[in-house]
Amino acid sequence: WSVPLKETKRKLFDAYQLGMKIGAFSASMYPLCFCSRIALLEGENLTLLSQSVTLDLKMMAKYNLPCAKLVVLDMLMIDELRGVDSKPFYIFKDSIGNDDKDIMNNAQMNHDYYLLVYSYQRRFISAFWAGDYDSAEIYCRSMLSLPSAKAPTLQSIYTTFYRGLIGFLRHRECQSEEQYGIGLDSIVKIEFWWQFSPTNFESKLFLLKAENEASLLNVDKARSLYEASIKSASDNGRIHEKGLAYEFMGNFLSSVSNDPSGARECMKLAHSCYLQWGAFGKAAILSMKHELNEADVPNTYPS
């Protein structure tokens, strides 16, 4: 929590390489597993990440099946963001099932609660990026009903962050005090973690605070915090969080301004960020939802 995640990833990769050199093949898969997860959640290019994770999965299928179950869920998330189906389960020749339902059923049968929690977290994060906030909330509540969900993990940072954003958005839509409370609780947690590592949490904290001000209809304060989040995400190489800040800023501006051009410009910039991230599926969802035309959207989708 106190070390920049990109530095943590480098240390984990060093541990993986050292383990392979001394012949600890099974143990080496654990740091490699977390390397791929950090790369995904920190916004590294999804096209390149997909290629490396595919190779990692082949090794994990050979040396460490529990790690393979976790990373194949990451691969499903990568596929959904990219708008493709790489059929990652084919690598395992039916040894872990054919989809995430099989993995979840297997986790329940074997009382593997870490895997079960991560399965729900993966579904929650995927639903969030798809804009399916109803499903995201269902998956989150299912995950939180499990006792092991209380353990702090890398992915719990992102479930806290994304759930807070949904909470503020839902509060503005239906004046739900429960959802507003979820948003405020996320700010408290992220602000506490920010004290230990501003690099990891700054852009997230700015965006949550922007959404809070948006919920209070403090337009100027909200705009300033959105812009701070965009700058922080850009400075720290998180292209996906930069796109997210533009998207949420656009959503807010469209609800308070009579001039739609500002909101539309935000959506175009968010779309550009998602394309740079390699999230062609997410970009397509945004384009369809906001009716971005060919002049707005560069023709950079994969064939």
Side-chain angles (χ1 to χ4, degrees):
W1 301 89
S2 60
V3 178
L5 286 172
K6 291 179 181 178
E7 183 181 339
T8 300
K9 182 191 168 193
R10 286 194 296 269
K11 292 179 177 180
L12 286 168
F13 192 75
D14 289 343
Y16 153 71
Q17 290 184 312
L18 180 59
M20 294 297 285
K21 286 179 181 177
I22 65 174
F25 302 126
S26 178
S28 297
M29 297 300 102
Y30 288 102
L32 187 62
C33 169
F34 285 103
C35 280
S36 65
R37 185 159 312 155
I38 290 173
L40 169 58
L41 295 175
E42 281 291 277
E44 293 191 17
N45 182 271
L46 294 173
T47 302
L48 298 178
L49 184 59
S50 175
Q51 295 169 2
S52 65
V53 170
T54 298
L55 296 175
D56 294 345
L57 279 172
K58 291 179 180 178
M59 280 198 298
M60 290 177 187
K62 181 177 180 181
Y63 295 124
N64 191 318
L65 199 57
C67 279
K69 292 177 182 178
L70 292 168
V71 175
V72 78
L73 294 175
D74 292 338
M75 192 65 185
L76 288 177
M77 200 186 316
I78 293 169
D79 280 358
E80 287 162 357
L81 287 165
R82 295 180 64 224
V84 301
D85 180 8
S86 66
K87 303 188 186 303
F89 285 88
Y90 286 179
I91 295 172
F92 306 106
K93 300 177 180 178
D94 297 326
S95 60
I96 63 171
N98 297 307
D99 56 29
D100 68 332
K101 291 181 181 178
D102 290 334
I103 287 183
M104 294 178 77
N105 290 335
N106 182 264
Q108 287 178 320
M109 289 175 55
N110 294 307
H111 306 291
D112 187 346
Y113 295 114
Y114 181 86
L115 178 59
L116 189 57
V117 167
Y118 187 65
S119 297
Y120 279 120
Q121 287 172 326
R122 197 283 305 175
R123 285 187 170 190
F124 165 78
I125 294 172
S126 291
F128 170 82
W129 281 108
D132 184 0
Y133 300 137
D134 289 336
S135 294
E137 184 63 18
I138 291 170
Y139 296 140
C140 192
R141 290 183 184 275
S142 297
M143 180 267 293
L144 292 173
S145 70
L146 300 169
S148 52
K150 297 178 181 178
T153 61
L154 171 64
Q155 53 271 17
S156 64
I157 295 172
Y158 296 87
T159 53
T160 299
F161 174 42
Y162 297 150
R163 195 176 188 221
L165 293 177
I166 294 172
F168 285 126
L169 189 64
R170 283 290 169 81
H171 170 68
R172 294 202 297 277
E173 290 175 347
C174 58
Q175 299 301 305
S176 168
E177 291 304 315
E178 179 189 4
Q179 291 295 319
Y180 186 62
I182 290 172
L184 292 178
D185 183 61
S186 296
I187 288 180
V188 171
K189 290 178 179 177
I190 296 290
E191 193 160 31
F192 176 74
W193 297 333
W194 169 83
Q195 299 175 71
F196 303 102
S197 181
T199 301
N200 289 338
F201 297 103
E202 186 178 68
S203 61
K204 299 174 181 65
L205 182 58
F206 281 142
L207 184 52
L208 284 168
K209 287 187 172 183
E211 282 293 291
N212 183 36
E213 296 297 337
S215 295
L216 299 173
L217 295 179
N218 295 326
V219 178
D220 292 338
K221 285 185 178 180
R223 188 192 298 270
S224 177
L225 286 162
Y226 284 124
E227 290 171 351
S229 179
I230 289 164
K231 183 180 185 303
S232 178
S234 183
D235 290 346
N236 289 292
R238 294 188 175 93
I239 191 67
H240 62 324
E241 290 185 9
K242 183 178 179 180
L244 198 59
Y246 274 126
E247 181 181 352
F248 274 75
M249 185 178 182
N251 285 331
F252 173 59
L253 292 179
S254 68
S255 68
V256 298
S257 175
N258 293 325
D259 180 7
S261 61
R264 190 170 185 80
E265 185 63 25
C266 285
M267 292 305 174
K268 288 161 61 178
L269 291 167
H271 186 275
S272 177
C273 289
Y274 295 144
L275 291 181
Q276 291 177 63
W277 183 24
F280 301 104
K282 169 61 180 177
I285 291 171
L286 193 72
S287 179
M288 185 177 299
K289 180 178 179 180
H290 297 282
E291 300 181 342
L292 301 178
N293 55 41
E294 292 183 4
D296 296 323
V297 181
N299 185 21
T300 54
Y301 289 99
S303 59

